[in-house]
Amino acid sequence: VGWGCSHATRSHLKRRWHGITQRAIIPVGESAGRSAGVTEGGAVDLAVARSDLSGGLNPMMAPMMGSVAQPSERADPAHLKALPAGLDELYFGSVPVHLAAVPGTTIPYTHDEWEPQSDPDSVAEVVRRADHLGPDKDIVVPAIPALDIARRGKADPELDSATLQQWPDGLREPLLKGNGASPPPKAVLKAVASGVRSCVVKTAAGWFRLKGCGNHDEGFTIRESGEAATANGGDPVGIDGAAAKPAHTRQMRGSAWLHTAIRENYVLAQLSRVLEPRGILGGNSAYGMYLYGAPNQPFGPDVSVPACVVCTTRGERRLGSHVLAGLELLLPQLLDTAALDTRELLAAFPPARLALPTAGDPVVSTATLMCDHMLAFEYASLGMLEPGTHGLDFAVPRDRTSLADGAGVTLPHRPLQAGVYPMQWTQAGAKEMEPRWWPLWDTCVAEYNAALAEVEGQSAIGYLFNRLGHDCGRILNGLHSQRVSWGTYQDELCIDPSQWHCNAHANNVVILPQGTPTNMFLGYLDLDMAFDDATFVSVYGKGSPKGAVGTLPEQHDQLLKREHVNFMEVLAGADSTSGVPTVALSVVEGYSDEVKIAKSILLDGLILGYLSAYDAPGDLHPVASDSLELHTAGHALIKLAIIVMADFIA
């Protein structure tokens, strides 16, 4: 999905850390103290933050700090890994990386200086990327179907230099992940992994995301491919139906590119001006980019030069890989499974749902239902079904007439037990929870149990799922209200007319730390492939002549509808960016029928919450009303889920 895929007080945790002598481990866990609440969160105005450095930390960032390495221990991964986990590790990441300053150029971003370029030469450059680059025409770079963004005039070196002086120490020179051979900048307090090619960095001024700063600890690498795309098993062809590009291709891994880095900053800044006043926050804020110099240019200084997006960031933990996955793995411990009754659970579903053929399952799962809906949309788009067909196998509307109102179903909850620690999961599989997480786990368990007592008779987890869906619907509705696609398009990697890149998925929304000034749990990010109908460029000549700028409103409406339908399918668990990793599938597949039915009730509620925000609230799309008590319980559940998936690199 997408290009190259396609995160208690310090003294209390320290005391608990040294006092632990015993613990219990169970496969998919249960578990006092009270969590020190985060009173504010998010990115800050770095000009303001910088002015506070001489007198201490900016108070806006202070509640986010967690454990802080002393200057003599700066960002040393071995040292950071030994510290007890705090709110930093919870919300921003827990797998330390090495960073080193390297040669290159740092470009600050000021939004009003940049604009889309529609002149013929700029459009030709956009189209040229689809034909591969380099002397042998074998170097692949992202061919985003949209006008490039560039400065309105020539760069002013003196102004850029003055702006860079407002950047925090440690970020003014390009940074690259490595193996630790070079020391990190003195001002970098922490650096932790964010996916394969990125990291998040803590300075005295706050947290920043570096997107495209090296492939793991290998720097920038080259991946070679010897196969061309084929359509329907036939001869190699390109996306435009012409002869395929050369079979041997090379791609740089671990980087962004200047055109994608600028786009990320531009779209972030453009959207934030409209969406922030509506309470819809980005996970990141535009800040600038790095352009790497020799020796970190695998293809030389002229072709596919690596770049990195630099943003301030509010958080790094992903909805799909960290929260939905963690909640699913904890579900048998969160629910009183002995009190689950199959007949009562099935009664939560509308008659139309219960009438659907189930192939032996108690009820058609939410994932199956939404995948069927997505396939029907694609078949209709190809002219093989009537427009508006609800599904291939399940011809029912996807609304309250077929989906359970998960927020309104009172599932039997049970408190967790302190001192009993679940397994944690990584890409490699399950492992015993690391002791550094025990104090924070017990603190979050106490917080959850207290919140559960406040909402007795209500479904805390049902509320959370519904509101997570509602947040996702608000986010995509916000983008689409500005005619912005998150990044849904076709290129030569799509080997069939029905295949599309779609950047609207559950790992492109992040958890906003508790205390962030919004009633939403989630923020959006990863906009380096985003575009709107006015700046669309026909890169492959599909639907309009190659190089044509702009697209018809009805064509763009159809593309946005595709993005909406695909996002729902992903949120329902029918995609690898939602739910548990592959290595844990056997665990959830072994759940009892009652737990599986409860999971579908929750995911149904998530989809209804999504639809209430994306389309419209009402009887067909019920949404849970705001509740401070349930919201508090939701944040506690999120923290527990993140801890279970803390070291999973999304």
Side-chain angles (χ1 to χ4, degrees), residues 470-531:
H470 191 261
D471 285 3
C472 289
R474 283 183 68 180
I475 287 168
L476 197 63
N477 176 277
L479 267 66
H480 289 182
S481 72
Q482 304 304 303
R483 308 292 289 167
V484 173
S485 163
W486 214 323
T488 298
Y489 63 95
Q490 290 180 302
D491 65 12
E492 67 177 75
L493 298 179
C494 302
I495 64 175
D496 184 271
S498 65
Q499 285 191 327
W500 294 75
H501 288 291
C502 183
N503 220 28
H505 60 79
N507 274 353
N508 276 348
V509 284
V510 295
I511 295 300
L512 300 174
Q514 187 173 10
T516 302
T518 176
N519 67 341
M520 295 178 65
F521 290 108
L522 303 174
Y524 61 90
L525 44 62
D526 283 358
L527 296 161
D528 53 348
M529 301 194 298
F531 57 89

Short mmCIF file of all heavy atoms in Angstrom, two decimals, residues 470-531:
data_model
loop_
_atom_site.label_atom_id
_atom_site.label_comp_id
_atom_site.label_asym_id
_atom_site.label_seq_id
_atom_site.Cartn_x
_atom_site.Cartn_y
_atom_site.Cartn_z
N HIS A 470 -15.08 6.80 13.80
CA HIS A 470 -15.56 8.17 13.58
C HIS A 470 -14.41 9.11 13.27
O HIS A 470 -14.51 9.97 12.37
CB HIS A 470 -16.32 8.63 14.83
CG HIS A 470 -17.09 9.90 14.65
ND1 HIS A 470 -16.61 11.12 15.07
CD2 HIS A 470 -18.30 10.15 14.07
CE1 HIS A 470 -17.48 12.06 14.78
NE2 HIS A 470 -18.52 11.50 14.18
N ASP A 471 -13.31 8.97 13.99
CA ASP A 471 -12.13 9.80 13.71
C ASP A 471 -11.64 9.59 12.29
O ASP A 471 -11.29 10.54 11.58
CB ASP A 471 -11.01 9.48 14.70
CG ASP A 471 -11.26 10.05 16.09
OD1 ASP A 471 -12.33 10.65 16.32
OD2 ASP A 471 -10.38 9.88 16.96
N CYS A 472 -11.57 8.32 11.86
CA CYS A 472 -11.11 8.04 10.50
C CYS A 472 -12.04 8.65 9.47
O CYS A 472 -11.60 9.19 8.44
CB CYS A 472 -11.00 6.53 10.29
SG CYS A 472 -9.64 5.76 11.19
N GLY A 473 -13.35 8.58 9.73
CA GLY A 473 -14.30 9.20 8.82
C GLY A 473 -14.15 10.71 8.77
O GLY A 473 -14.24 11.32 7.70
N ARG A 474 -13.91 11.33 9.93
CA ARG A 474 -13.68 12.78 9.95
C ARG A 474 -12.44 13.16 9.16
O ARG A 474 -12.43 14.15 8.42
CB ARG A 474 -13.52 13.27 11.40
CG ARG A 474 -14.81 13.40 12.18
CD ARG A 474 -14.56 13.96 13.58
NE ARG A 474 -14.12 15.36 13.55
CZ ARG A 474 -13.85 16.07 14.65
NH1 ARG A 474 -13.94 15.49 15.86
NH2 ARG A 474 -13.47 17.33 14.57
N ILE A 475 -11.39 12.36 9.31
CA ILE A 475 -10.15 12.66 8.61
C ILE A 475 -10.34 12.57 7.10
O ILE A 475 -9.99 13.49 6.35
CB ILE A 475 -9.03 11.71 9.09
CG1 ILE A 475 -8.58 12.09 10.50
CG2 ILE A 475 -7.84 11.72 8.13
CD1 ILE A 475 -7.70 11.07 11.18
N LEU A 476 -10.91 11.45 6.62
CA LEU A 476 -11.04 11.31 5.17
C LEU A 476 -12.06 12.29 4.61
O LEU A 476 -11.88 12.82 3.51
CB LEU A 476 -11.41 9.87 4.80
CG LEU A 476 -11.16 9.55 3.31
CD1 LEU A 476 -9.67 9.65 2.99
CD2 LEU A 476 -11.68 8.17 2.95
N ASN A 477 -13.12 12.55 5.35
CA ASN A 477 -14.07 13.57 4.92
C ASN A 477 -13.38 14.93 4.81
O ASN A 477 -13.64 15.71 3.89
CB ASN A 477 -15.25 13.65 5.90
CG ASN A 477 -16.22 14.76 5.56
OD1 ASN A 477 -16.00 15.92 5.93
ND2 ASN A 477 -17.29 14.42 4.87
N GLY A 478 -12.49 15.21 5.77
CA GLY A 478 -11.75 16.47 5.72
C GLY A 478 -10.88 16.58 4.49
O GLY A 478 -10.87 17.62 3.81
N LEU A 479 -10.14 15.52 4.18
CA LEU A 479 -9.32 15.53 2.97
C LEU A 479 -10.18 15.69 1.73
O LEU A 479 -9.91 16.52 0.85
CB LEU A 479 -8.50 14.25 2.87
CG LEU A 479 -7.08 14.26 3.44
CD1 LEU A 479 -7.10 14.44 4.96
CD2 LEU A 479 -6.32 12.99 3.08
N HIS A 480 -11.24 14.90 1.65
CA HIS A 480 -12.06 14.91 0.44
C HIS A 480 -12.86 16.20 0.30
O HIS A 480 -13.20 16.60 -0.81
CB HIS A 480 -12.98 13.69 0.44
CG HIS A 480 -12.25 12.41 0.20
ND1 HIS A 480 -12.88 11.19 0.13
CD2 HIS A 480 -10.93 12.15 0.00
CE1 HIS A 480 -11.99 10.24 -0.09
NE2 HIS A 480 -10.80 10.80 -0.17
N SER A 481 -13.15 16.87 1.40
CA SER A 481 -13.83 18.17 1.30
C SER A 481 -12.95 19.20 0.61
O SER A 481 -13.45 20.19 0.05
CB SER A 481 -14.22 18.67 2.69
OG SER A 481 -13.09 19.10 3.44
N GLN A 482 -11.64 18.97 0.63
CA GLN A 482 -10.69 19.83 -0.08
C GLN A 482 -10.28 19.24 -1.43
O GLN A 482 -9.33 19.72 -2.05
CB GLN A 482 -9.45 20.04 0.79
CG GLN A 482 -9.75 20.62 2.16
CD GLN A 482 -10.51 21.92 2.07
OE1 GLN A 482 -10.05 22.87 1.43
NE2 GLN A 482 -11.69 21.98 2.68
N ARG A 483 -10.98 18.18 -1.83
CA ARG A 483 -10.73 17.50 -3.11
C ARG A 483 -9.38 16.80 -3.12
O ARG A 483 -8.83 16.47 -4.18
CB ARG A 483 -10.83 18.46 -4.30
CG ARG A 483 -12.10 19.26 -4.36
CD ARG A 483 -13.30 18.39 -4.66
NE ARG A 483 -13.32 17.90 -6.03
CZ ARG A 483 -14.11 16.93 -6.46
NH1 ARG A 483 -14.94 16.33 -5.61
NH2 ARG A 483 -14.07 16.53 -7.72
N VAL A 484 -8.82 16.53 -1.95
CA VAL A 484 -7.51 15.91 -1.83
C VAL A 484 -7.66 14.40 -1.72
O VAL A 484 -8.38 13.90 -0.84
CB VAL A 484 -6.74 16.45 -0.61
CG1 VAL A 484 -5.44 15.67 -0.39
CG2 VAL A 484 -6.43 17.93 -0.80
N SER A 485 -6.99 13.68 -2.61
CA SER A 485 -6.83 12.23 -2.47
C SER A 485 -5.59 11.97 -1.65
O SER A 485 -4.55 12.60 -1.87
CB SER A 485 -6.70 11.57 -3.84
OG SER A 485 -6.17 10.26 -3.73
N TRP A 486 -5.69 11.03 -0.71
CA TRP A 486 -4.54 10.67 0.14
C TRP A 486 -3.41 10.11 -0.72
O TRP A 486 -2.25 10.17 -0.33
CB TRP A 486 -4.99 9.63 1.15
CG TRP A 486 -4.34 9.71 2.49
CD1 TRP A 486 -3.04 10.03 2.77
CD2 TRP A 486 -4.96 9.46 3.76
NE1 TRP A 486 -2.81 9.98 4.12
CE2 TRP A 486 -3.97 9.63 4.76
CE3 TRP A 486 -6.24 9.08 4.15
CZ2 TRP A 486 -4.24 9.44 6.11
CZ3 TRP A 486 -6.49 8.90 5.50
CH2 TRP A 486 -5.52 9.08 6.46
N GLY A 487 -3.74 9.58 -1.86
CA GLY A 487 -2.74 8.99 -2.74
C GLY A 487 -3.26 7.71 -3.34
O GLY A 487 -2.73 6.63 -3.06
N THR A 488 -4.32 7.81 -4.15
CA THR A 488 -4.90 6.65 -4.82
C THR A 488 -4.71 6.83 -6.32
O THR A 488 -5.25 7.78 -6.90
CB THR A 488 -6.40 6.51 -4.48
OG1 THR A 488 -6.53 6.30 -3.06
CG2 THR A 488 -7.02 5.34 -5.22
N TYR A 489 -3.92 5.96 -6.92
CA TYR A 489 -3.61 6.10 -8.34
C TYR A 489 -3.02 4.79 -8.84
O TYR A 489 -2.73 3.87 -8.07
CB TYR A 489 -2.63 7.25 -8.58
CG TYR A 489 -1.28 7.09 -7.93
CD1 TYR A 489 -0.20 6.55 -8.64
CD2 TYR A 489 -1.05 7.46 -6.60
CE1 TYR A 489 1.05 6.39 -8.05
CE2 TYR A 489 0.19 7.32 -6.01
CZ TYR A 489 1.23 6.78 -6.73
OH TYR A 489 2.46 6.62 -6.15
N GLN A 490 -2.84 4.70 -10.13
CA GLN A 490 -2.24 3.52 -10.75
C GLN A 490 -0.89 3.88 -11.36
O GLN A 490 -0.70 4.98 -11.87
CB GLN A 490 -3.15 2.97 -11.86
CG GLN A 490 -4.43 2.34 -11.34
CD GLN A 490 -5.30 1.80 -12.46
OE1 GLN A 490 -5.69 2.54 -13.35
NE2 GLN A 490 -5.60 0.52 -12.41
N ASP A 491 0.05 2.95 -11.26
CA ASP A 491 1.30 3.09 -12.00
C ASP A 491 1.70 1.71 -12.50
O ASP A 491 0.93 0.75 -12.45
CB ASP A 491 2.38 3.75 -11.15
CG ASP A 491 2.80 2.92 -9.93
OD1 ASP A 491 2.42 1.73 -9.86
OD2 ASP A 491 3.49 3.46 -9.05
N GLU A 492 2.93 1.58 -12.97
CA GLU A 492 3.33 0.33 -13.62
C GLU A 492 3.43 -0.84 -12.65
O GLU A 492 3.46 -1.99 -13.07
CB GLU A 492 4.65 0.51 -14.33
CG GLU A 492 5.82 0.75 -13.37
CD GLU A 492 7.13 0.84 -14.12
OE1 GLU A 492 7.36 1.87 -14.75
OE2 GLU A 492 7.89 -0.14 -14.07
N LEU A 493 3.47 -0.58 -11.35
CA LEU A 493 3.49 -1.67 -10.39
C LEU A 493 2.11 -2.32 -10.25
O LEU A 493 1.99 -3.39 -9.67
CB LEU A 493 3.97 -1.17 -9.03
CG LEU A 493 5.40 -0.61 -8.99
CD1 LEU A 493 5.74 -0.14 -7.59
CD2 LEU A 493 6.40 -1.64 -9.47
N CYS A 494 1.09 -1.66 -10.75
CA CYS A 494 -0.26 -2.21 -10.75
C CYS A 494 -0.42 -3.04 -12.02
O CYS A 494 -0.52 -2.50 -13.12
CB CYS A 494 -1.30 -1.10 -10.70
SG CYS A 494 -1.14 0.00 -9.29
N ILE A 495 -0.40 -4.35 -11.88
CA ILE A 495 -0.29 -5.22 -13.05
C ILE A 495 -1.64 -5.63 -13.60
O ILE A 495 -1.72 -6.40 -14.54
CB ILE A 495 0.54 -6.48 -12.72
CG1 ILE A 495 -0.17 -7.32 -11.66
CG2 ILE A 495 1.94 -6.10 -12.28
CD1 ILE A 495 0.52 -8.64 -11.35
N ASP A 496 -2.71 -5.08 -13.04
CA ASP A 496 -4.05 -5.41 -13.51
C ASP A 496 -4.87 -4.13 -13.49
O ASP A 496 -4.66 -3.27 -12.62
CB ASP A 496 -4.67 -6.49 -12.60
CG ASP A 496 -6.02 -6.94 -13.11
OD1 ASP A 496 -7.03 -6.31 -12.71
OD2 ASP A 496 -6.07 -7.91 -13.88
N PRO A 497 -5.84 -3.94 -14.41
CA PRO A 497 -6.63 -2.70 -14.43
C PRO A 497 -7.37 -2.43 -13.13
O PRO A 497 -7.76 -1.29 -12.86
CB PRO A 497 -7.60 -2.93 -15.59
CG PRO A 497 -6.92 -3.91 -16.48
CD PRO A 497 -6.14 -4.80 -15.58
N SER A 498 -7.60 -3.46 -12.30
CA SER A 498 -8.33 -3.25 -11.05
C SER A 498 -7.41 -2.95 -9.88
O SER A 498 -7.89 -2.73 -8.76
CB SER A 498 -9.17 -4.49 -10.72
OG SER A 498 -8.33 -5.61 -10.45
N GLN A 499 -6.09 -2.93 -10.08
CA GLN A 499 -5.16 -2.67 -8.99
C GLN A 499 -4.84 -1.18 -8.88
O GLN A 499 -4.64 -0.51 -9.89
CB GLN A 499 -3.86 -3.46 -9.19
CG GLN A 499 -3.99 -4.94 -8.90
CD GLN A 499 -2.65 -5.62 -8.85
OE1 GLN A 499 -1.73 -5.26 -9.57
NE2 GLN A 499 -2.53 -6.63 -8.01
N TRP A 500 -4.79 -0.72 -7.65
CA TRP A 500 -4.51 0.69 -7.37
C TRP A 500 -3.62 0.80 -6.14
O TRP A 500 -3.73 0.02 -5.21
CB TRP A 500 -5.81 1.46 -7.07
CG TRP A 500 -6.75 1.56 -8.23
CD1 TRP A 500 -7.54 0.57 -8.74
CD2 TRP A 500 -6.99 2.73 -9.02
NE1 TRP A 500 -8.26 1.05 -9.80
CE2 TRP A 500 -7.95 2.37 -9.99
CE3 TRP A 500 -6.50 4.03 -8.99
CZ2 TRP A 500 -8.43 3.28 -10.93
CZ3 TRP A 500 -6.98 4.94 -9.92
CH2 TRP A 500 -7.92 4.57 -10.89
N HIS A 501 -2.72 1.77 -6.17
CA HIS A 501 -2.11 2.21 -4.91
C HIS A 501 -3.18 2.94 -4.13
O HIS A 501 -3.96 3.71 -4.69
CB HIS A 501 -0.96 3.19 -5.17
CG HIS A 501 0.27 2.57 -5.73
ND1 HIS A 501 1.06 1.71 -5.02
CD2 HIS A 501 0.84 2.70 -6.95
CE1 HIS A 501 2.09 1.33 -5.77
NE2 HIS A 501 1.97 1.91 -6.94
N CYS A 502 -3.23 2.73 -2.83
CA CYS A 502 -4.16 3.48 -1.99
C CYS A 502 -3.48 3.80 -0.67
O CYS A 502 -3.17 2.90 0.10
CB CYS A 502 -5.46 2.71 -1.76
SG CYS A 502 -6.67 3.66 -0.80
N ASN A 503 -3.24 5.07 -0.44
CA ASN A 503 -2.52 5.50 0.76
C ASN A 503 -3.46 5.72 1.95
O ASN A 503 -3.00 6.09 3.03
CB ASN A 503 -1.73 6.79 0.47
CG ASN A 503 -0.37 6.79 1.13
OD1 ASN A 503 0.22 5.74 1.37
ND2 ASN A 503 0.14 7.98 1.43
N ALA A 504 -4.75 5.52 1.74
CA ALA A 504 -5.72 5.65 2.84
C ALA A 504 -5.81 4.31 3.55
O ALA A 504 -6.55 3.42 3.14
CB ALA A 504 -7.08 6.06 2.29
N HIS A 505 -5.03 4.14 4.60
CA HIS A 505 -5.04 2.89 5.33
C HIS A 505 -4.76 3.14 6.81
O HIS A 505 -4.41 4.27 7.22
CB HIS A 505 -4.06 1.87 4.74
CG HIS A 505 -2.63 2.31 4.70
ND1 HIS A 505 -1.82 2.27 5.80
CD2 HIS A 505 -1.87 2.78 3.68
CE1 HIS A 505 -0.60 2.70 5.47
NE2 HIS A 505 -0.60 3.01 4.19
N ALA A 506 -4.91 2.10 7.61
CA ALA A 506 -4.93 2.25 9.06
C ALA A 506 -3.58 2.61 9.65
O ALA A 506 -3.52 3.05 10.81
CB ALA A 506 -5.45 0.97 9.71
N ASN A 507 -2.50 2.45 8.92
CA ASN A 507 -1.20 2.84 9.45
C ASN A 507 -0.79 4.25 9.04
O ASN A 507 0.31 4.69 9.35
CB ASN A 507 -0.11 1.84 9.05
CG ASN A 507 -0.03 0.69 10.02
OD1 ASN A 507 -0.68 0.69 11.06
ND2 ASN A 507 0.76 -0.32 9.69
N ASN A 508 -1.68 4.95 8.34
CA ASN A 508 -1.44 6.36 8.04
C ASN A 508 -2.26 7.28 8.93
O ASN A 508 -2.44 8.46 8.62
CB ASN A 508 -1.68 6.65 6.56
CG ASN A 508 -0.45 6.31 5.72
OD1 ASN A 508 0.63 6.06 6.27
ND2 ASN A 508 -0.61 6.27 4.42
N VAL A 509 -2.76 6.71 10.02
CA VAL A 509 -3.32 7.52 11.10
C VAL A 509 -2.61 7.10 12.39
O VAL A 509 -2.29 5.93 12.59
CB VAL A 509 -4.85 7.37 11.23
CG1 VAL A 509 -5.56 8.14 10.14
CG2 VAL A 509 -5.28 5.93 11.22
N VAL A 510 -2.33 8.09 13.23
CA VAL A 510 -1.56 7.85 14.45
C VAL A 510 -2.36 8.26 15.68
O VAL A 510 -3.29 9.06 15.59
CB VAL A 510 -0.22 8.61 14.44
CG1 VAL A 510 0.69 8.10 13.35
CG2 VAL A 510 -0.44 10.11 14.30
N ILE A 511 -1.95 7.71 16.81
CA ILE A 511 -2.58 8.05 18.08
C ILE A 511 -2.08 9.42 18.55
O ILE A 511 -0.87 9.67 18.61
CB ILE A 511 -2.25 6.99 19.14
CG1 ILE A 511 -2.87 5.65 18.75
CG2 ILE A 511 -2.72 7.43 20.52
CD1 ILE A 511 -4.37 5.67 18.63
N LEU A 512 -3.00 10.30 18.88
CA LEU A 512 -2.66 11.58 19.50
C LEU A 512 -2.55 11.35 21.01
O LEU A 512 -3.48 10.80 21.61
CB LEU A 512 -3.72 12.62 19.20
CG LEU A 512 -3.94 12.94 17.71
CD1 LEU A 512 -5.12 13.88 17.54
CD2 LEU A 512 -2.69 13.53 17.08
N PRO A 513 -1.46 11.73 21.63
CA PRO A 513 -1.29 11.47 23.07
C PRO A 513 -2.44 12.06 23.88
O PRO A 513 -3.00 13.11 23.55
CB PRO A 513 0.03 12.17 23.40
CG PRO A 513 0.80 12.14 22.11
CD PRO A 513 -0.24 12.33 21.05
N GLN A 514 -2.79 11.36 24.94
CA GLN A 514 -3.85 11.83 25.83
C GLN A 514 -3.50 13.24 26.32
O GLN A 514 -2.38 13.50 26.76
CB GLN A 514 -4.00 10.89 27.02
CG GLN A 514 -5.19 11.19 27.91
CD GLN A 514 -5.40 10.13 28.97
OE1 GLN A 514 -4.54 9.25 29.16
NE2 GLN A 514 -6.51 10.18 29.67
N GLY A 515 -4.45 14.15 26.23
CA GLY A 515 -4.21 15.54 26.59
C GLY A 515 -4.05 16.45 25.40
O GLY A 515 -4.04 17.67 25.56
N THR A 516 -3.91 15.89 24.19
CA THR A 516 -3.86 16.72 22.99
C THR A 516 -5.18 17.49 22.89
O THR A 516 -6.25 16.93 23.11
CB THR A 516 -3.67 15.84 21.74
OG1 THR A 516 -2.47 15.08 21.89
CG2 THR A 516 -3.58 16.68 20.49
N PRO A 517 -5.12 18.78 22.55
CA PRO A 517 -6.34 19.61 22.58
C PRO A 517 -7.29 19.32 21.41
O PRO A 517 -7.43 20.10 20.48
CB PRO A 517 -5.79 21.03 22.52
CG PRO A 517 -4.47 20.91 21.84
CD PRO A 517 -3.92 19.58 22.29
N THR A 518 -7.94 18.17 21.45
CA THR A 518 -8.95 17.78 20.48
C THR A 518 -9.75 16.64 21.10
O THR A 518 -9.26 15.97 22.01
CB THR A 518 -8.33 17.33 19.15
OG1 THR A 518 -9.36 16.88 18.25
CG2 THR A 518 -7.34 16.20 19.37
N ASN A 519 -10.97 16.43 20.63
CA ASN A 519 -11.74 15.29 21.12
C ASN A 519 -11.50 14.05 20.29
O ASN A 519 -12.20 13.05 20.44
CB ASN A 519 -13.23 15.62 21.15
CG ASN A 519 -13.82 15.81 19.76
OD1 ASN A 519 -13.09 16.03 18.79
ND2 ASN A 519 -15.13 15.74 19.66
N MET A 520 -10.51 14.09 19.41
CA MET A 520 -10.18 12.94 18.56
C MET A 520 -9.04 12.13 19.15
O MET A 520 -8.13 12.67 19.78
CB MET A 520 -9.84 13.40 17.15
CG MET A 520 -11.01 14.04 16.42
SD MET A 520 -10.58 14.63 14.75
CE MET A 520 -10.21 13.09 13.90
N PHE A 521 -9.09 10.83 18.93
CA PHE A 521 -7.98 9.95 19.30
C PHE A 521 -6.88 9.96 18.25
O PHE A 521 -5.73 9.61 18.55
CB PHE A 521 -8.47 8.50 19.44
CG PHE A 521 -9.36 8.24 20.62
CD1 PHE A 521 -10.72 8.01 20.45
CD2 PHE A 521 -8.85 8.21 21.92
CE1 PHE A 521 -11.54 7.75 21.53
CE2 PHE A 521 -9.67 7.95 23.01
CZ PHE A 521 -11.02 7.71 22.82
N LEU A 522 -7.20 10.31 17.00
CA LEU A 522 -6.33 10.05 15.86
C LEU A 522 -5.97 11.32 15.09
O LEU A 522 -6.75 12.27 15.03
CB LEU A 522 -7.00 9.07 14.89
CG LEU A 522 -7.42 7.71 15.46
CD1 LEU A 522 -8.20 6.93 14.42
CD2 LEU A 522 -6.20 6.93 15.93
N GLY A 523 -4.78 11.28 14.49
CA GLY A 523 -4.35 12.31 13.54
C GLY A 523 -3.87 11.65 12.27
O GLY A 523 -3.53 10.47 12.25
N TYR A 524 -3.83 12.40 11.20
CA TYR A 524 -3.45 11.87 9.88
C TYR A 524 -2.00 12.22 9.55
O TYR A 524 -1.43 13.19 10.06
CB TYR A 524 -4.38 12.43 8.79
CG TYR A 524 -4.32 13.94 8.67
CD1 TYR A 524 -3.41 14.57 7.81
CD2 TYR A 524 -5.16 14.75 9.42
CE1 TYR A 524 -3.35 15.95 7.71
CE2 TYR A 524 -5.11 16.13 9.33
CZ TYR A 524 -4.20 16.73 8.48
OH TYR A 524 -4.13 18.10 8.39
N LEU A 525 -1.38 11.44 8.68
CA LEU A 525 -0.03 11.74 8.20
C LEU A 525 0.24 11.01 6.88
O LEU A 525 -0.66 10.43 6.29
CB LEU A 525 1.03 11.39 9.25
CG LEU A 525 0.99 10.09 10.03
CD1 LEU A 525 1.09 8.87 9.18
CD2 LEU A 525 2.08 10.08 11.10
N ASP A 526 1.49 11.09 6.42
CA ASP A 526 1.97 10.44 5.19
C ASP A 526 1.20 10.92 3.96
O ASP A 526 0.37 10.22 3.40
CB ASP A 526 1.91 8.92 5.31
CG ASP A 526 3.06 8.38 6.15
OD1 ASP A 526 3.89 9.19 6.58
OD2 ASP A 526 3.12 7.16 6.38
N LEU A 527 1.52 12.15 3.55
CA LEU A 527 0.82 12.80 2.44
C LEU A 527 1.74 13.04 1.25
O LEU A 527 1.48 13.91 0.43
CB LEU A 527 0.22 14.12 2.93
CG LEU A 527 -0.86 13.96 4.00
CD1 LEU A 527 -1.08 15.26 4.76
CD2 LEU A 527 -2.16 13.50 3.38
N ASP A 528 2.81 12.26 1.15
CA ASP A 528 3.77 12.49 0.06
C ASP A 528 3.25 12.02 -1.29
O ASP A 528 3.89 12.27 -2.31
CB ASP A 528 5.11 11.83 0.38
CG ASP A 528 5.00 10.36 0.73
OD1 ASP A 528 3.88 9.87 0.97
OD2 ASP A 528 6.04 9.68 0.77
N MET A 529 2.11 11.33 -1.32
CA MET A 529 1.50 10.93 -2.59
C MET A 529 0.16 11.62 -2.82
O MET A 529 -0.57 11.27 -3.75
CB MET A 529 1.32 9.42 -2.64
CG MET A 529 2.61 8.64 -2.49
SD MET A 529 2.46 6.90 -2.95
CE MET A 529 1.27 6.33 -1.76
N ALA A 530 -0.19 12.60 -2.00
CA ALA A 530 -1.51 13.23 -2.08
C ALA A 530 -1.57 14.24 -3.23
O ALA A 530 -0.58 14.86 -3.60
CB ALA A 530 -1.83 13.91 -0.76
N PHE A 531 -2.78 14.41 -3.75
CA PHE A 531 -3.00 15.37 -4.84
C PHE A 531 -4.48 15.69 -4.91
O PHE A 531 -5.31 15.00 -4.31
CB PHE A 531 -2.52 14.81 -6.18
CG PHE A 531 -3.17 13.51 -6.57
CD1 PHE A 531 -4.36 13.48 -7.29
CD2 PHE A 531 -2.59 12.29 -6.19
CE1 PHE A 531 -4.96 12.27 -7.63
CE2 PHE A 531 -3.19 11.08 -6.53
CZ PHE A 531 -4.38 11.07 -7.25
#
